[in-house]
Amino acid sequence: MSAAERLADRRERLITAAYTLFAHPGFHATTIERLCATARISNRAFYECFSSREDLMRAVYDRCVEETLTSVNAAIEKAPPTLDDRIVAGIGEYVRFVTQDVRRARVMHLEVRRAGSVLTSARQHTVKAFTEIIEAAVEDLPPGPPLELHLLALGLIGAITELLIEWVLADPAPSTDRLVDASVHIFRRTFGPELVPERSA
């Protein structure tokens, strides 16, 4: 391999190792030495790829978010064109995709917070991306309550985030169907039943 290919290979092995180790035993319990041993590279090589554990966490987190956004957008595009169908498809896909792999759920909703303020901007960027999906979906609704759309979307994202943290930490964990049902219910109540009617049973 060329030098660039070797660097890319080491970087990918570190991301793969970190995806598992940052999820369990967790970010703070995972040393650079353990990451390097799992990835089968030297400690010196680590710093050729990443400047710190936080930098590596950012790479892992960004990949999780990118994959989730791709999956959610695809689900919305495939859904029937009504607002309710598209939002239900997007929320359902988000919850199910994130919980398909507990490592993804832990990295995105638990360990990234434990990594500290250095990743605050990454989390804010992610919240902005998902908020924009909701805002774009509901921007054509007729005027509803005198509340700012952006704040309502942020509130919905926050609620779903807390539901997923509950899924990660609770024993036993609630089913993903219950998480989706709760999230959809919150969405419909947030934007008003007169705007987003409940489906008939």
Side-chain angles (χ1 to χ4, degrees):
M1 291 189 292
S2 67
E5 288 171 334
R6 285 196 299 272
L7 182 63
D9 177 66
R10 291 168 182 166
R11 180 181 174 87
E12 190 62 32
R13 280 191 276 160
L14 279 168
I15 289 174
T16 299
Y19 181 51
T20 295
L21 293 174
F22 284 167
H24 183 76
F27 177 78
H28 286 299
T30 301
T31 63
I32 289 177
E33 289 75 16
R34 185 169 182 181
L35 286 163
C36 292
T38 303
R40 303 188 309 280
I41 66 170
S42 68
N43 287 12
R44 177 180 177 182
F46 177 94
Y47 291 101
E48 295 174 355
C49 301
F50 298 99
S51 62
S52 62
R53 281 188 313 151
E54 289 80 7
D55 188 28
L56 175 54
M57 170 60 103
R58 174 67 184 262
V60 175
Y61 176 72
D62 284 349
R63 179 170 296 184
C64 289
V65 170
E66 180 182 354
E67 292 171 349
T68 304
L69 279 169
T70 298
S71 184
V72 168
N73 281 318
I76 291 173
E77 287 301 315
K78 292 177 184 176
T82 67
L83 170 63
D84 194 62
D85 283 318
R86 288 167 66 85
I87 289 295
V88 169
I91 289 174
E93 182 62 19
Y94 180 84
V95 172
R96 292 190 177 97
F97 186 79
V98 170
T99 57
Q100 277 176 2
D101 188 334
V102 69
R103 294 174 298 178
R104 184 185 295 121
R106 291 188 69 91
V107 166
M108 289 181 66
H109 293 291
L110 194 63
E111 295 302 327
V112 71
R113 295 167 179 250
R114 293 174 173 172
S117 59
V118 69
L119 289 175
T120 297
S121 63
R123 289 185 60 245
Q124 289 176 326
H125 178 77
T126 300
V127 169
K128 181 175 183 292
F130 284 106
T131 299
E132 287 173 351
I133 291 176
I134 296 172
E135 290 180 36
V138 302
E139 63 183 356
D140 294 330
L141 286 175
L147 296 172
E148 186 178 338
L149 174 59
H150 177 67
L151 297 181
L152 291 174
L154 278 176
L156 178 58
I157 292 296
I160 296 173
T161 296
E162 291 301 319
L163 288 171
L164 286 166
I165 291 174
E166 174 70 8
W167 182 84
V168 168
L169 296 178
D171 184 19
S175 70
T176 53
D177 286 342
R178 290 179 62 195
L179 295 183
V180 172
D181 289 345
S183 300
V184 170
H185 179 83
I186 293 168
F187 163 74
R188 288 171 172 155
R189 290 297 180 263
T190 297
F191 292 97
E194 72 280 3
L195 302 181
V196 188
E198 293 279 8
R199 291 171 174 233
S200 58

